[in-house]
mmCIF file of all heavy atoms in Angstrom:
data_model
loop_
_atom_site.group_PDB
_atom_site.id
_atom_site.type_symbol
_atom_site.label_atom_id
_atom_site.label_comp_id
_atom_site.label_asym_id
_atom_site.label_seq_id
_atom_site.Cartn_x
_atom_site.Cartn_y
_atom_site.Cartn_z
ATOM 1 N N TYR A 1289 35.795 101.898 4.734
ATOM 2 C CA TYR A 1289 35.241 101.027 3.700
ATOM 3 C C TYR A 1289 35.811 101.551 2.383
ATOM 4 O O TYR A 1289 35.184 102.367 1.698
ATOM 5 C CB TYR A 1289 33.727 101.093 3.714
ATOM 6 C CG TYR A 1289 33.022 100.060 2.847
ATOM 7 C CD1 TYR A 1289 31.631 99.953 2.865
ATOM 8 C CD2 TYR A 1289 33.718 99.187 2.009
ATOM 9 C CE1 TYR A 1289 30.963 99.012 2.091
ATOM 10 C CE2 TYR A 1289 33.072 98.249 1.234
ATOM 11 C CZ TYR A 1289 31.689 98.162 1.282
ATOM 12 O OH TYR A 1289 31.041 97.226 0.500
ATOM 13 N N PRO A 1290 37.017 101.124 2.005
ATOM 14 C CA PRO A 1290 37.720 101.718 0.855
ATOM 15 C C PRO A 1290 36.923 101.699 -0.438
ATOM 16 O O PRO A 1290 36.939 102.671 -1.200
ATOM 17 C CB PRO A 1290 38.991 100.859 0.748
ATOM 18 C CG PRO A 1290 39.208 100.337 2.128
ATOM 19 C CD PRO A 1290 37.832 100.090 2.674
ATOM 20 N N ALA A 1291 36.204 100.613 -0.687
ATOM 21 C CA ALA A 1291 35.485 100.494 -1.956
ATOM 22 C C ALA A 1291 34.373 101.532 -2.095
ATOM 23 O O ALA A 1291 33.993 101.892 -3.212
ATOM 24 C CB ALA A 1291 34.899 99.091 -2.098
ATOM 25 N N MET A 1292 33.862 102.022 -0.962
ATOM 26 C CA MET A 1292 32.762 102.991 -0.982
ATOM 27 C C MET A 1292 33.209 104.388 -0.564
ATOM 28 O O MET A 1292 32.401 105.318 -0.582
ATOM 29 C CB MET A 1292 31.642 102.525 -0.053
ATOM 30 C CG MET A 1292 31.025 101.189 -0.440
ATOM 31 S SD MET A 1292 30.233 101.232 -2.076
ATOM 32 C CE MET A 1292 28.785 102.193 -1.707
ATOM 33 N N GLY A 1293 34.471 104.548 -0.185
ATOM 34 C CA GLY A 1293 34.941 105.859 0.261
ATOM 35 C C GLY A 1293 34.289 106.303 1.563
ATOM 36 O O GLY A 1293 34.158 107.498 1.821
ATOM 37 N N SER A 1294 33.887 105.351 2.398
ATOM 38 C CA SER A 1294 33.172 105.646 3.642
ATOM 39 C C SER A 1294 34.076 105.402 4.847
ATOM 40 O O SER A 1294 35.042 104.639 4.772
ATOM 41 C CB SER A 1294 31.922 104.767 3.758
ATOM 42 O OG SER A 1294 31.064 104.945 2.650
ATOM 43 N N TYR A 1295 33.747 106.046 5.970
ATOM 44 C CA TYR A 1295 34.524 105.782 7.190
ATOM 45 C C TYR A 1295 33.721 106.065 8.449
ATOM 46 O O TYR A 1295 32.713 106.769 8.433
ATOM 47 C CB TYR A 1295 35.823 106.583 7.212
ATOM 48 C CG TYR A 1295 35.686 108.091 7.230
ATOM 49 C CD1 TYR A 1295 35.223 108.783 8.352
ATOM 50 C CD2 TYR A 1295 36.055 108.855 6.117
ATOM 51 C CE1 TYR A 1295 35.108 110.161 8.373
ATOM 52 C CE2 TYR A 1295 35.954 110.229 6.119
ATOM 53 C CZ TYR A 1295 35.485 110.880 7.252
ATOM 54 O OH TYR A 1295 35.380 112.254 7.270
ATOM 55 N N TYR A 1296 34.220 105.497 9.534
ATOM 56 C CA TYR A 1296 33.753 105.758 10.903
ATOM 57 C C TYR A 1296 34.924 106.389 11.634
ATOM 58 O O TYR A 1296 36.046 105.881 11.568
ATOM 59 C CB TYR A 1296 33.368 104.437 11.570
ATOM 60 C CG TYR A 1296 32.961 104.538 13.032
ATOM 61 C CD1 TYR A 1296 31.653 104.289 13.418
ATOM 62 C CD2 TYR A 1296 33.886 104.839 14.026
ATOM 63 C CE1 TYR A 1296 31.274 104.356 14.755
ATOM 64 C CE2 TYR A 1296 33.518 104.920 15.358
ATOM 65 C CZ TYR A 1296 32.214 104.669 15.727
ATOM 66 O OH TYR A 1296 31.848 104.745 17.039
ATOM 67 N N ARG A 1297 34.690 107.477 12.351
ATOM 68 C CA ARG A 1297 35.758 108.096 13.132
ATOM 69 C C ARG A 1297 35.213 108.606 14.452
ATOM 70 O O ARG A 1297 34.000 108.769 14.624
ATOM 71 C CB ARG A 1297 36.432 109.238 12.380
ATOM 72 C CG ARG A 1297 35.531 110.387 12.017
ATOM 73 C CD ARG A 1297 36.303 111.605 11.530
ATOM 74 N NE ARG A 1297 37.011 112.252 12.619
ATOM 75 C CZ ARG A 1297 37.471 113.521 12.555
ATOM 76 N NH1 ARG A 1297 37.326 114.216 11.451
ATOM 77 N NH2 ARG A 1297 38.089 114.055 13.580
ATOM 78 N N VAL A 1298 36.127 108.856 15.380
ATOM 79 C CA VAL A 1298 35.778 109.270 16.735
ATOM 80 C C VAL A 1298 35.920 110.774 16.886
ATOM 81 O O VAL A 1298 36.874 111.375 16.381
ATOM 82 C CB VAL A 1298 36.675 108.532 17.755
ATOM 83 C CG1 VAL A 1298 36.595 109.178 19.127
ATOM 84 C CG2 VAL A 1298 36.278 107.067 17.838
ATOM 85 N N LEU A 1299 34.952 111.388 17.592
ATOM 86 C CA LEU A 1299 35.012 112.802 17.957
ATOM 87 C C LEU A 1299 34.840 112.913 19.463
ATOM 88 O O LEU A 1299 34.020 112.218 20.050
ATOM 89 C CB LEU A 1299 33.889 113.592 17.282
ATOM 90 C CG LEU A 1299 33.850 113.662 15.765
ATOM 91 C CD1 LEU A 1299 32.554 114.351 15.323
ATOM 92 C CD2 LEU A 1299 35.049 114.427 15.229
ATOM 93 N N ALA A 1300 35.607 113.806 20.090
ATOM 94 C CA ALA A 1300 35.498 113.995 21.538
ATOM 95 C C ALA A 1300 35.314 115.462 21.864
ATOM 96 O O ALA A 1300 35.986 116.326 21.305
ATOM 97 C CB ALA A 1300 36.740 113.459 22.251
ATOM 98 N N GLY A 1301 34.382 115.744 22.787
ATOM 99 C CA GLY A 1301 34.104 117.121 23.170
ATOM 100 C C GLY A 1301 35.297 117.838 23.738
ATOM 101 O O GLY A 1301 35.468 119.037 23.567
ATOM 102 N N GLU A 1302 36.184 117.115 24.424
ATOM 103 C CA GLU A 1302 37.355 117.734 25.019
ATOM 104 C C GLU A 1302 38.306 118.295 23.964
ATOM 105 O O GLU A 1302 39.047 119.246 24.216
ATOM 106 C CB GLU A 1302 38.108 116.721 25.879
ATOM 107 C CG GLU A 1302 38.648 115.544 25.086
ATOM 108 C CD GLU A 1302 39.358 114.512 25.951
ATOM 109 O OE1 GLU A 1302 39.426 114.728 27.171
ATOM 110 O OE2 GLU A 1302 39.812 113.492 25.405
ATOM 111 N N LYS A 1303 38.257 117.707 22.763
ATOM 112 C CA LYS A 1303 39.128 118.171 21.687
ATOM 113 C C LYS A 1303 38.404 119.079 20.703
ATOM 114 O O LYS A 1303 39.023 119.695 19.848
ATOM 115 C CB LYS A 1303 39.708 116.965 20.934
ATOM 116 C CG LYS A 1303 40.649 116.118 21.774
ATOM 117 C CD LYS A 1303 41.225 114.983 20.954
ATOM 118 C CE LYS A 1303 42.201 114.146 21.775
ATOM 119 N NZ LYS A 1303 42.770 113.015 20.983
ATOM 120 N N HIS A 1304 37.090 119.119 20.821
ATOM 121 C CA HIS A 1304 36.289 119.933 19.904
ATOM 122 C C HIS A 1304 35.353 120.833 20.711
ATOM 123 O O HIS A 1304 34.172 120.949 20.411
ATOM 124 C CB HIS A 1304 35.487 119.055 18.947
ATOM 125 C CG HIS A 1304 36.322 118.132 18.120
ATOM 126 N ND1 HIS A 1304 36.666 116.871 18.561
ATOM 127 C CD2 HIS A 1304 36.880 118.276 16.895
ATOM 128 C CE1 HIS A 1304 37.398 116.276 17.630
ATOM 129 N NE2 HIS A 1304 37.541 117.112 16.619
ATOM 130 N N ALA A 1305 35.919 121.462 21.731
ATOM 131 C CA ALA A 1305 35.102 122.246 22.662
ATOM 132 C C ALA A 1305 34.398 123.413 21.981
ATOM 133 O O ALA A 1305 33.354 123.877 22.436
ATOM 134 C CB ALA A 1305 35.968 122.751 23.810
ATOM 135 N N GLU A 1306 34.956 123.895 20.897
ATOM 136 C CA GLU A 1306 34.348 125.019 20.190
ATOM 137 C C GLU A 1306 33.373 124.567 19.121
ATOM 138 O O GLU A 1306 32.938 125.362 18.295
ATOM 139 C CB GLU A 1306 35.455 125.893 19.566
ATOM 140 C CG GLU A 1306 36.368 126.541 20.593
ATOM 141 C CD GLU A 1306 35.595 127.351 21.618
ATOM 142 O OE1 GLU A 1306 34.701 128.123 21.212
ATOM 143 O OE2 GLU A 1306 35.865 127.199 22.816
ATOM 144 N N GLY A 1307 33.060 123.280 19.147
ATOM 145 C CA GLY A 1307 32.126 122.772 18.156
ATOM 146 C C GLY A 1307 32.840 122.157 16.972
ATOM 147 O O GLY A 1307 34.062 122.211 16.855
ATOM 148 N N VAL A 1308 32.078 121.571 16.090
ATOM 149 C CA VAL A 1308 32.617 120.908 14.912
ATOM 150 C C VAL A 1308 31.975 121.526 13.684
ATOM 151 O O VAL A 1308 30.760 121.545 13.549
ATOM 152 C CB VAL A 1308 32.321 119.393 14.948
ATOM 153 C CG1 VAL A 1308 32.904 118.713 13.722
ATOM 154 C CG2 VAL A 1308 32.880 118.778 16.222
ATOM 155 N N GLU A 1309 32.804 122.019 12.808
ATOM 156 C CA GLU A 1309 32.294 122.674 11.604
ATOM 157 C C GLU A 1309 32.624 121.833 10.376
ATOM 158 O O GLU A 1309 33.629 121.155 10.320
ATOM 159 C CB GLU A 1309 32.919 124.069 11.457
ATOM 160 C CG GLU A 1309 32.691 124.984 12.656
ATOM 161 C CD GLU A 1309 31.223 125.294 12.905
ATOM 162 O OE1 GLU A 1309 30.447 125.244 11.932
ATOM 163 O OE2 GLU A 1309 30.868 125.582 14.058
ATOM 164 N N GLY A 1310 31.758 121.890 9.409
ATOM 165 C CA GLY A 1310 32.040 121.269 8.124
ATOM 166 C C GLY A 1310 31.783 119.784 8.030
ATOM 167 O O GLY A 1310 32.112 119.168 7.013
ATOM 168 N N LEU A 1311 31.187 119.180 9.060
ATOM 169 C CA LEU A 1311 30.881 117.757 8.974
ATOM 170 C C LEU A 1311 29.691 117.531 8.050
ATOM 171 O O LEU A 1311 28.786 118.345 7.969
ATOM 172 C CB LEU A 1311 30.556 117.185 10.353
ATOM 173 C CG LEU A 1311 31.663 117.159 11.404
ATOM 174 C CD1 LEU A 1311 31.162 116.445 12.646
ATOM 175 C CD2 LEU A 1311 32.915 116.481 10.873
ATOM 176 N N ASN A 1312 29.710 116.392 7.384
ATOM 177 C CA ASN A 1312 28.593 115.996 6.526
ATOM 178 C C ASN A 1312 28.210 114.579 6.931
ATOM 179 O O ASN A 1312 28.483 113.610 6.227
ATOM 180 C CB ASN A 1312 29.009 116.074 5.057
ATOM 181 C CG ASN A 1312 27.847 115.817 4.123
ATOM 182 O OD1 ASN A 1312 26.687 115.824 4.520
ATOM 183 N ND2 ASN A 1312 28.150 115.571 2.860
ATOM 184 N N ALA A 1313 27.596 114.460 8.089
ATOM 185 C CA ALA A 1313 27.424 113.172 8.754
ATOM 186 C C ALA A 1313 26.241 112.380 8.235
ATOM 187 O O ALA A 1313 25.155 112.923 8.026
ATOM 188 C CB ALA A 1313 27.281 113.379 10.259
ATOM 189 N N SER A 1314 26.452 111.089 8.062
ATOM 190 C CA SER A 1314 25.355 110.165 7.800
ATOM 191 C C SER A 1314 24.744 109.713 9.115
ATOM 192 O O SER A 1314 23.524 109.593 9.240
ATOM 193 C CB SER A 1314 25.861 108.934 7.044
ATOM 194 O OG SER A 1314 26.613 109.279 5.919
ATOM 195 N N LEU A 1315 25.609 109.456 10.095
ATOM 196 C CA LEU A 1315 25.185 108.942 11.391
ATOM 197 C C LEU A 1315 26.131 109.448 12.470
ATOM 198 O O LEU A 1315 27.349 109.393 12.296
ATOM 199 C CB LEU A 1315 25.199 107.406 11.381
ATOM 200 C CG LEU A 1315 25.026 106.687 12.725
ATOM 201 C CD1 LEU A 1315 23.633 106.926 13.295
ATOM 202 C CD2 LEU A 1315 25.291 105.189 12.562
ATOM 203 N N ILE A 1316 25.565 109.963 13.565
ATOM 204 C CA ILE A 1316 26.345 110.338 14.739
ATOM 205 C C ILE A 1316 25.819 109.536 15.922
ATOM 206 O O ILE A 1316 24.625 109.565 16.218
ATOM 207 C CB ILE A 1316 26.250 111.842 15.030
ATOM 208 C CG1 ILE A 1316 26.869 112.646 13.884
ATOM 209 C CG2 ILE A 1316 26.960 112.178 16.355
ATOM 210 C CD1 ILE A 1316 26.673 114.142 14.015
ATOM 211 N N LEU A 1317 26.719 108.832 16.572
ATOM 212 C CA LEU A 1317 26.389 108.066 17.774
ATOM 213 C C LEU A 1317 26.990 108.801 18.957
ATOM 214 O O LEU A 1317 28.201 108.772 19.163
ATOM 215 C CB LEU A 1317 26.960 106.642 17.665
ATOM 216 C CG LEU A 1317 26.454 105.818 16.485
ATOM 217 C CD1 LEU A 1317 27.351 104.609 16.238
ATOM 218 C CD2 LEU A 1317 25.018 105.383 16.709
ATOM 219 N N PHE A 1318 26.147 109.496 19.722
ATOM 220 C CA PHE A 1318 26.622 110.338 20.827
ATOM 221 C C PHE A 1318 26.462 109.556 22.127
ATOM 222 O O PHE A 1318 25.363 109.370 22.629
ATOM 223 C CB PHE A 1318 25.825 111.646 20.877
ATOM 224 C CG PHE A 1318 26.547 112.762 21.572
ATOM 225 C CD1 PHE A 1318 26.859 113.932 20.904
ATOM 226 C CD2 PHE A 1318 26.922 112.646 22.899
ATOM 227 C CE1 PHE A 1318 27.524 114.960 21.533
ATOM 228 C CE2 PHE A 1318 27.598 113.661 23.544
ATOM 229 C CZ PHE A 1318 27.901 114.827 22.858
ATOM 230 N N ASP A 1319 27.589 109.121 22.697
ATOM 231 C CA ASP A 1319 27.565 108.243 23.860
ATOM 232 C C ASP A 1319 27.572 109.028 25.165
ATOM 233 O O ASP A 1319 28.256 110.044 25.284
ATOM 234 C CB ASP A 1319 28.771 107.303 23.823
ATOM 235 C CG ASP A 1319 28.589 106.087 24.710
ATOM 236 O OD1 ASP A 1319 27.444 105.826 25.146
ATOM 237 O OD2 ASP A 1319 29.588 105.390 24.965
ATOM 238 N N GLU A 1320 26.819 108.526 26.154
ATOM 239 C CA GLU A 1320 26.723 109.117 27.492
ATOM 240 C C GLU A 1320 26.490 110.625 27.416
ATOM 241 O O GLU A 1320 27.198 111.429 28.013
ATOM 242 C CB GLU A 1320 27.987 108.799 28.309
ATOM 243 C CG GLU A 1320 28.224 107.310 28.525
ATOM 244 C CD GLU A 1320 27.166 106.624 29.387
ATOM 245 O OE1 GLU A 1320 26.090 107.209 29.613
ATOM 246 O OE2 GLU A 1320 27.408 105.491 29.815
ATOM 247 N N VAL A 1321 25.459 110.991 26.686
ATOM 248 C CA VAL A 1321 25.175 112.406 26.438
ATOM 249 C C VAL A 1321 24.881 113.159 27.734
ATOM 250 O O VAL A 1321 25.080 114.382 27.813
ATOM 251 C CB VAL A 1321 24.005 112.541 25.431
ATOM 252 C CG1 VAL A 1321 22.711 112.044 26.045
ATOM 253 C CG2 VAL A 1321 23.866 113.966 24.920
ATOM 254 N N HIS A 1322 24.486 112.432 28.792
ATOM 255 C CA HIS A 1322 24.094 113.118 30.033
ATOM 256 C C HIS A 1322 25.274 113.776 30.749
ATOM 257 O O HIS A 1322 25.067 114.640 31.603
ATOM 258 C CB HIS A 1322 23.395 112.130 30.981
ATOM 259 C CG HIS A 1322 24.301 111.119 31.576
ATOM 260 N ND1 HIS A 1322 24.662 109.975 30.906
ATOM 261 C CD2 HIS A 1322 24.917 111.058 32.784
ATOM 262 C CE1 HIS A 1322 25.455 109.254 31.668
ATOM 263 N NE2 HIS A 1322 25.636 109.885 32.808
ATOM 264 N N VAL A 1323 26.516 113.382 30.449
ATOM 265 C CA VAL A 1323 27.666 113.983 31.127
ATOM 266 C C VAL A 1323 28.212 115.194 30.370
ATOM 267 O O VAL A 1323 29.155 115.841 30.832
ATOM 268 C CB VAL A 1323 28.795 112.961 31.349
ATOM 269 C CG1 VAL A 1323 28.293 111.780 32.156
ATOM 270 C CG2 VAL A 1323 29.382 112.495 30.024
ATOM 271 N N GLN A 1324 27.630 115.499 29.222
ATOM 272 C CA GLN A 1324 28.081 116.648 28.449
ATOM 273 C C GLN A 1324 27.638 117.927 29.161
ATOM 274 O O GLN A 1324 26.441 118.171 29.323
ATOM 275 C CB GLN A 1324 27.494 116.598 27.032
ATOM 276 C CG GLN A 1324 28.101 117.577 26.057
ATOM 277 C CD GLN A 1324 29.490 117.167 25.627
ATOM 278 O OE1 GLN A 1324 29.814 115.999 25.585
ATOM 279 N NE2 GLN A 1324 30.317 118.138 25.305
ATOM 280 N N LYS A 1325 28.588 118.758 29.589
ATOM 281 C CA LYS A 1325 28.254 119.945 30.371
ATOM 282 C C LYS A 1325 27.793 121.117 29.502
ATOM 283 O O LYS A 1325 26.875 121.841 29.847
ATOM 284 C CB LYS A 1325 29.467 120.371 31.203
ATOM 285 C CG LYS A 1325 29.947 119.302 32.185
ATOM 286 C CD LYS A 1325 28.874 118.953 33.196
ATOM 287 C CE LYS A 1325 29.367 117.919 34.193
ATOM 288 N NZ LYS A 1325 28.329 117.526 35.162
ATOM 289 N N SER A 1326 28.469 121.304 28.391
ATOM 290 C CA SER A 1326 28.136 122.414 27.501
ATOM 291 C C SER A 1326 27.319 121.927 26.322
ATOM 292 O O SER A 1326 27.513 120.806 25.838
ATOM 293 C CB SER A 1326 29.419 123.076 26.980
ATOM 294 O OG SER A 1326 29.130 123.961 25.911
ATOM 295 N N ARG A 1327 26.404 122.758 25.842
ATOM 296 C CA ARG A 1327 25.603 122.397 24.673
ATOM 297 C C ARG A 1327 26.344 122.637 23.367
ATOM 298 O O ARG A 1327 25.894 122.184 22.310
ATOM 299 C CB ARG A 1327 24.311 123.213 24.656
ATOM 300 C CG ARG A 1327 23.310 122.878 25.745
ATOM 301 C CD ARG A 1327 21.926 123.389 25.366
ATOM 302 N NE ARG A 1327 21.461 122.719 24.169
ATOM 303 C CZ ARG A 1327 20.724 121.609 24.172
ATOM 304 N NH1 ARG A 1327 20.372 121.055 25.307
ATOM 305 N NH2 ARG A 1327 20.333 121.059 23.042
#
């Protein structure tokens, strides 16, 4: 949303296995959470 400096982006556990640092999230939509093996 260029006028507001906002965005939606995708995160995947396979690429962020060590966790995600520095996010300042308004909303996180975590899909199929039951298949996530690690906390």
Side-chain angles (χ1 to χ4, degrees):
Y1289 190 175
M1292 299 298 287
S1294 303
Y1295 63 71
Y1296 176 112
R1297 61 168 289 198
V1298 166
L1299 298 173
E1302 63 182 0
K1303 294 182 178 180
H1304 302 88
E1306 296 305 314
V1308 181
E1309 303 297 334
L1311 295 185
N1312 186 14
S1314 309
L1315 169 66
I1316 296 173
L1317 300 164
F1318 203 119
D1319 199 14
E1320 299 294 15
V1321 67
H1322 71 278
V1323 302
Q1324 192 73 29
K1325 300 299 182 182
S1326 168
R1327 291 199 63 92

